[in-house]
Amino acid sequence: MKILNAVLGATALAALSLVSAVANAAGYPERQITMIVPFAAGGPTDTVARLVAENMSKTLGQQIVVENVGGAGGTLGAARVANADKDGYTVLLHHIGMATSDSLYRKLPYKTLEAFDYVGLVTDVPMTLLARKDMPANDLKGLVEYAKANKDKVTVANAGIGAASHLCGMLFMSSIQTALVTVPYKGTGPAMTDLLGGQVDIMCDQTTNTTKQIQGGTVKAYAVTSPARLDVLKDVPTVKEAGLPQMEVGIWHGIYTPKGAPKEALDKLSGALKVALADKNIGARFAELGTKPSPESDATPAALKAKLESEIARWKPVIEAAGQYAD
Ligand code: MLT
């Protein structure tokens, strides 16, 4: 009788662990995940995405592959995810452009607040106002005078209407009350190449793409859009110090899925994001690039949803006042 009970017990135990193994095996993720970055490879959003994706892959036990879908200021990539399968295997890493595009595009191919589910906030990156290295101006006052005196030929690069570089460029032009010639790219990665080559004059771009160039002296930096100076760019004044406080802006980033993704997928993605943001290496890498991970409390669907809603409300009147629409 004792032997029979032992055998039954062992069988039950084996069965139990099999069930949980199957349950786990059947659980999300079972295969590779695609992370859409709505700007060209090699730019600031791509840099953030690849760092976070690599770490999240380890936690999830499946590869997250970054795919760059640039164009239309980030709305092409966002539309790709809005229309993707709702199975949790396609995610979007996008930034403040998600909010500004909602007002800039009157014919957006998706409803920003209805087409996505939320994973969490990732980081909030300051921007830097730059010019080609031979720009004949050594401070923001001089740059503004040069721009006003040459307004028909001074060019400002950006990553399309709806991009962070477009928003910052718009804030610069409205602050100096002068419209300049804008040159759109699929991302500030390729735009930086032309700024380094002197093909364009000015660009406002995220520190995740500019810090190394500024430290290397290959571009001129006039101001950073954060409230305080950055440790990695101590010599660069804030826009407030430099005289254009209305240019203060942070480029917050978040991860989304198509609306209707399984709760299990959202929970696991959010869990993996928390781990990534707490990772020392990611913290160190972000710091080198002038930013920091969002606090763990913001790596949640609720925090990202609240941020997107408040930012859509914040930028709508600014964009309507500027009257600059993409369509
Ligand atoms: C990029 O990754 O190219 C940028 O985020 C574009 C932008 O928004 O300025």
Side-chain angles (χ1 to χ4, degrees), residues 48 123-126 207-208 232 283 285-293:
V48 168
T123 182
D124 193 333
V125 183
T207 59
T208 36
V232 287
R285 191 77 184 96
F286 274 15
E288 278 172 22
L289 298 172
T291 188
K292 58 182 185 298

Side-chain angles (χ1 to χ4, degrees), residues 39-40 43-46 95 127 159 162-166 186-189 204-206:
F39 296 103
T45 313
D46 190 57
H95 57 40
M127 302 199 80
S165 46
H166 166 262
K186 286 206 172 191
T188 52
C204 191
D205 191 18
Q206 297 160 69

Side-chain angles (χ1 to χ4, degrees), residues 17-37:
S17 55
L18 180 63
V19 169
S20 64
V22 170
N24 274 341
Y28 173 91
E30 290 174 335
R31 54 188 166 84
Q32 170 181 302
I33 298 165
T34 300
M35 177 179 277
I36 301 290
V37 168

Side-chain angles (χ1 to χ4, degrees), residues 149-167:
N150 301 279
K151 64 180 172 40
D152 300 328
K153 65 181 174 103
V154 165
T155 53
V156 180
N158 67 42
I161 296 180
S165 46
H166 166 262
L167 174 66

Side-chain angles (χ1 to χ4, degrees), residues 181-197:
V181 180
T182 58
V183 182
Y185 293 77
K186 286 206 172 191
T188 52
M192 179 61 84
T193 307
D194 278 5
L195 186 72
L196 295 173

Side-chain angles (χ1 to χ4, degrees), residues 34-262:
T34 300
M35 177 179 277
I36 301 290
V37 168
F39 296 103
T45 313
D46 190 57
T47 299
V48 168
R50 289 177 192 273
L51 277 171
V52 170
E54 188 198 356
N55 188 287
M56 289 175 70
S57 300
K58 292 186 196 129
T59 306
L60 293 166
Q62 290 289 348
Q63 193 64 33
I64 299 181
V65 174
V66 171
E67 184 184 335
N68 301 85
V69 180
T75 60
L76 284 187
R80 166 79 75 82
V81 176
N83 301 311
D85 293 344
K86 307 172 185 327
D87 54 11
Y89 288 94
T90 305
V91 303
L92 170 71
L93 188 141
H94 199 354
H95 57 40
I96 195 170
M98 199 69 158
T100 55
S101 297
D102 193 67
S103 301
L104 287 163
Y105 290 77
R106 290 168 291 197
K107 301 190 203 84
L108 210 51
Y110 52 86
K111 289 195 167 51
T112 309
L113 289 173
E114 294 170 20
F116 302 96
D117 271 327
Y118 309 92
V119 174
L121 286 158
V122 177
T123 182
D124 193 333
V125 183
M127 302 199 80
T128 46
L129 184 59
L130 309 176
R132 54 184 162 78
K133 70 176 184 300
D134 57 356
M135 172 61 74
N138 295 321
D139 59 18
L140 187 52
K141 187 168 167 298
L143 180 70
V144 171
E145 283 162 7
Y146 179 87
K148 286 188 172 193
N150 301 279
K151 64 180 172 40
D152 300 328
K153 65 181 174 103
V154 165
T155 53
V156 180
N158 67 42
I161 296 180
S165 46
H166 166 262
L167 174 66
C168 188
M170 197 174 74
L171 290 175
F172 176 58
M173 288 185 247
S174 62
S175 305
I176 68 172
Q177 301 283 313
T178 305
L180 303 170
V181 180
T182 58
V183 182
Y185 293 77
K186 286 206 172 191
T188 52
M192 179 61 84
T193 307
D194 278 5
L195 186 72
L196 295 173
Q199 275 89 52
V200 285
D201 301 310
I202 294 173
M203 179 165 73
C204 191
D205 191 18
Q206 297 160 69
T207 59
T208 36
N209 196 38
T210 65
T211 298
K212 296 295 171 218
Q213 302 297 351
I214 297 170
Q215 291 170 336
T218 54
V219 292
K220 279 193 176 177
Y222 296 91
V224 60
T225 66
S226 47
R229 289 196 184 204
L230 304 175
D231 293 346
V232 287
L233 296 172
K234 279 208 167 47
D235 303 334
V236 182
T238 64
V239 285
K240 194 168 182 197
E241 289 173 307
L244 291 181
Q246 56 274 58
M247 286 188 67
E248 215 168 273
V249 66
I251 309 306
W252 52 276
H253 291 63
I255 297 177
Y256 307 80
T257 69
K259 186 80 180 172

